[in-house]
Amino acid sequence: MIRSIPPVLLLLAACAEAPAVPDEVVQAGASMDGAQDFSFGPTAFASQELHGRWIYDAPAGFSCSGTVDGWAHAPLFAAGAPGDLADFCVLTWVGVGSPILGKLPASSDLRVISPDRMAVVGMSHTPVVDLSVREDFEDNTYELVDPVSAYTRSLLPTRKSRVVLLDTVATSEAPFGESPNDEHGLRLAAIARRAVCDQRAMPACLARVETRLAMGFSAVPGTGFTTSTDGGSLGRQSDLATAIYDAVEDWDEDAHAPGSTVGRLVLNLSLSWHPETNPATARTATEDAVFKALQYASCQDALVLAAAGHDDTPIDESGGSGASLPAAWEANPEPSNGECNTLFSGVYSRSSRTTNYRPLVHAVSSVTSQHRRSAYARPGSLPKLLAPGEFLTMTPPGSSDPLDPITGTSAATVVASSAAAVAWALEPSASPHDIIVDHVYGAGQPYLDDDGNLVDAMVHVSGKVPQPARIVNVCKAALSAASTAVVPTTTVCDTAAVDP
């Protein structure tokens, strides 16, 4: 049955329910329900403090330049970083022999000064499979992710959303020309690109997918770490902080250039680390640099989605529960306009908020093709946003073959980011949180337990009533946003496929 929705952008998007798993895929030994044993992240790695590199939230008057007692001082963020961001200094040991910690600024408070930490890893597992099996996974991915198809190009939005994946691929506006040492970010970028573009003609896209390097290190047994401009599988927390800030600054410059076609900004964090302290309230200085960078992104009206993490990643030595960081910071509300002005020494005017649910970040976790919770999900980490996250793959532009499939909350997060990006392109005046609440979450399918009951999210803003979790669908998010647009045409959709 075909129905008309009030005058909106012509958007034909076929929404489908979860497909059956192809027999040949199951026979290949890859369980779509996550029953197989996986090792997520670098297998021979545990988070490490870097005692030759410290992050200092310096007081007024501290000189963040030069070398003092063997420690080189330099600003963490780029020149011109506003307000609280300008207070962060990197102290790097350049003296002879082992670092002399007694020469660091005196403080017993880790919130003031703390060692940088090699702790950031992607939340995924990537099995290597034959091409024929990859093609089966790709067919399944199309149906699970449900990409949008915008067929009337003349009526596409004049501004495209920008999705930036802070990941393992070099900073690039054209990531598919890169050759990263770790393809985690490239696989995610291929999924996002296909999700936001017309499947019949790739140039017709509702969003642009870009990458920014946040994980540029690789572990070398017995040696330590090597770094490369072609990326790696690991990242320092401080590198993530600067990547967030730089991505926001580049977007701000591009979006406000004369004749710009750059729309709203979505930051995808398909990465995490285990919190060293209480994730909502206490942070080390290094973690606080990431937190403040995220606050700055919020003050610039960006939307941030982050992977909720896995139960068995080597980065989690504690075997704890709850979402990993930075996803666990969904417990923290976004800063108010007044707080933005105070934190970052400016006047920040953001889009009007309708919803009362305004977290600093939105956490995302993974479900199977049958809409069950993925077996590797961390206990106590159920967020309100769930998305398909098992054995997803797409063919990147310029290639005829799909990449190896990716499984994890990383994959689920990029699906949710893609849904947000297409919805925001269709309703660009909305606030980031209204896009999530009204369209990405609001149009999602309710997540039910084995008895058919709704399941409340465990990760939510402190003090807010938890909402039932829902499963994100790109098509449904786009249709929901398109129904609010005001352009002189009609959207049609197959309601048999749209209805849950």
Side-chain angles (χ1 to χ4, degrees), residues 55-59 88 106-114 283-285:
I55 306 301
Y56 183 35
D57 188 355
F88 286 98
S107 177
S108 60
D109 190 346
L110 288 175
R111 292 171 296 181
V112 174
I113 184 169
S114 66
R283 298 178 294 274
T284 66

Side-chain angles (χ1 to χ4, degrees), residues 2 11-17 141-151 199 473-476 478-479 491-499:
I2 304 295
L11 185 73
L12 181 59
C15 301
E17 294 308 311
T141 300
Y142 271 117
E143 299 209 38
L144 289 171
V145 174
D146 215 357
V148 65
S149 294
Y151 289 165
Q199 301 312 301
N473 179 283
V474 175
C475 165
K476 294 176 185 178
L479 288 175
T491 294
V492 294
C493 187
D494 183 347
T495 56
V498 173
D499 293 337

